[in-house]
Amino acid sequence: MAGSLLITRIGELVTNSPAEAGGPAGQGGQGGFALINDAALVIEDEKVAWIGPSARAPGADALVDAAGRAVLPGFVDSHAHLVFAGDRSAEFAARMAGEAYAAGGIRSTVTATRAATNAGLRAGLHRLAAEMLRQGTTTFECKSGYGLTVPDEARSVALAAEVTAEVTYLGAHVVPPEFDGDPGGYVDLVRGPMLDACAPHSRWVDVFCERGAFGADEARAVLAAGKARGLMPRVHANQLSQGPGVMVAVEAGAASADHCTFLTDADVAALAGSGTVATLLPGAEFGTRQPYPDARRLLDAGVVIALATDCNPGSSYTSSMPFCVALAVRDMRMTTAEAVWAATAGGARALCRTDIGYLAPGARADLIMLDAPSHAHLAYRPGVPLVRAVWRAGRRADLG
Ligand code: NIG
Ligand code: FE
């Protein structure tokens, strides 16, 4: 954008910046949920330059009249698996007819992904990235994990790096069929040559620590190898049953333990006493008909929560952060404010980002305007496409 832009007459501006409301600012300006009514915001040079009451707004080169609509930070989707081929709608239909979800379903996507061309994978990835943007997601994480050979994982992270800076190497998603009976051999590949090939394109290392995937020692080995290569850890933990995932994540100093559906009191205490965010993925519980994670228990214990889509073809084929916010409010007993915070500032925390997830001077100008007067409409009007406009790094996105 050339010059400055003033968005005025914002009915409700969600800032996540209590400093603006007179309270202390959190990490990088992120604090608790906070908002200003009858507000205005100025964007300059890809960043937020000013926020405050509409009546005191300064002049700018261009003007957008929000006419009472709500403006929020763009959603930060900190957990997604977007590089894949194939379709598992039949598996979903069978689950809805009573079959259980199992980690092994991942293998059918692995077969399709290995068989896909680069162009085919790229087309699917870009389609999902555009879908996310239309629904207000301005930053997303993207994992590998459906290749599970050195070249297929390497091309997965390279493709992911075309669409996001938040690339996660997930070679340790499941043990592929050619390593049946030799999980140790596969872990050696994941923390050796596969890591060498993927580290240059990745910021994060992840492991699916779950019965049917990888155990605690295997997870520790993969995370340690990734850390030694400069990658930061995050963990798929406690999705299908209680287990060691959360403890492994906290021990490793992971930025996030994701899923957190089946937790012991010790897991909750460990998260509360750590810098590890609990990333809840209600799309996965929706898509597998599992009980939702107990967000209230985590919040009451002082755990920082992020909400993300887990967009993937198996357990959670949604790219919609508004849908996840609605589920969290309706079925996980989060307030509308807590859910919106978790989907924006919480996601930023889970990605160790201090430039996004809030709107205050200095923040990256990633913001969305709703066709609604308040953030609560995201849950109050579930399934309705409320995102009217998106700015990413100060530029208005073409939503097609
Ligand atoms: O986060 N839990 C592991 N990975 C995905 C599921 C992937 C799949 O079923 O293809 C998840 O839910
Ligand atoms: Fe996942």
Side-chain angles (χ1 to χ4, degrees):
M1 186 194 66
S4 56
L5 172 72
L6 167 65
I7 305 177
T8 189
R9 295 211 304 146
I10 299 169
E12 180 187 277
L13 176 66
V14 174
T15 64
N16 293 337
S17 179
E20 304 305 321
Q27 178 198 10
Q30 298 157 24
F33 180 85
L35 60 78
I36 309 175
N37 289 118
D38 302 319
L41 174 146
V42 176
I43 298 172
E44 212 172 300
D45 297 332
E46 305 184 3
K47 292 191 173 165
V48 176
W50 184 89
I51 62 171
S54 219
R56 294 216 305 266
D61 301 325
L63 181 81
V64 168
D65 181 359
R69 297 186 182 87
V71 169
L72 284 69
F75 295 118
V76 180
D77 186 349
S78 59
H79 185 136
H81 309 244
L82 307 180
V83 188
F84 65 84
D87 178 272
R88 281 159 65 191
S89 54
E91 183 190 315
F92 173 79
R95 265 201 314 273
M96 293 304 110
E99 272 180 35
Y101 175 76
I106 294 169
R107 283 185 175 191
S108 73
T109 300
V110 170
T111 304
T113 303
R114 288 177 178 179
T117 62
N118 290 349
L121 287 177
R122 180 178 287 118
L125 173 63
H126 284 256
R127 180 181 63 81
L128 288 170
E131 206 175 274
M132 287 174 146
L133 185 65
R134 281 198 298 278
Q135 295 169 97
T137 297
T138 46
T139 300
F140 60 88
E141 182 254 22
C142 182
K143 302 174 194 295
S144 68
Y146 289 118
L148 310 186
T149 65
V150 173
D152 285 309
E153 284 297 295
R155 74 169 173 161
S156 296
V157 290
L159 285 166
E162 292 179 6
V163 292
T164 183
E166 303 298 342
V167 176
T168 298
Y169 165 51
L170 179 58
H173 201 184
V174 279
V175 175
E178 61 275 19
F179 280 89
D180 271 343
D182 183 20
Y186 184 63
V187 170
D188 287 344
L189 182 69
V190 168
R191 62 196 183 110
M194 194 184 277
L195 173 63
D196 291 340
C198 292
H201 297 289
S202 307
R203 182 166 188 239
W204 302 96
V205 59
D206 193 348
V207 55
F208 186 15
C209 184
E210 191 79 44
R211 200 176 308 142
F214 297 89
D217 289 340
E218 294 167 326
R220 285 189 190 102
V222 169
L223 297 177
K227 282 167 81 173
R229 290 295 303 261
L231 305 186
M232 295 190 284
R234 46 202 319 107
V235 179
H236 278 73
N238 302 53
Q239 175 184 6
L240 304 174
S241 57
Q242 288 185 354
V246 163
M247 290 302 188
V248 167
V250 169
E251 234 175 72
S256 176
D258 296 46
H259 286 286
C260 292
T261 309
F262 294 96
L263 300 180
T264 63
D265 288 345
D267 292 328
V268 175
L271 285 167
S274 76
T276 301
V277 172
T279 299
L280 308 184
L281 308 166
E285 277 72 41
F286 180 92
T288 58
R289 228 204 273 288
Q290 279 207 145
Y292 289 96
D294 190 344
R296 205 68 262 151
R297 179 184 181 203
L298 289 163
L299 287 165
D300 290 348
V303 176
V304 176
I305 291 184
L307 283 171
T309 62
D310 195 12
C311 183
N312 77 78
S315 61
S316 181
Y317 200 10
T318 180
S319 54
S320 172
M321 289 295 279
F323 176 62
C324 294
V325 167
L327 290 179
V329 170
R330 168 62 179 75
D331 288 326
M332 289 155 60
R333 278 189 280 274
M334 293 178 81
T335 66
T336 56
E338 287 166 342
V340 165
W341 188 91
T344 52
R349 293 274 184 100
L351 292 174
C352 297
R353 292 282 296 268
T354 56
D355 56 334
I356 55 175
Y358 69 105
L359 295 174
R364 199 167 92 160
D366 284 2
L367 45 123
I368 63 177
M369 185 187 291
L370 301 183
D371 236 334
S374 97
H375 71 281
H377 280 237
L378 290 166
Y380 176 44
R381 306 203 64 213
V384 178
L386 291 179
V387 176
R388 178 189 178 94
V390 178
W391 285 263
R392 211 170 27 171
R395 278 178 180 275
R396 188 157 179 173
D398 176 4
L399 302 183

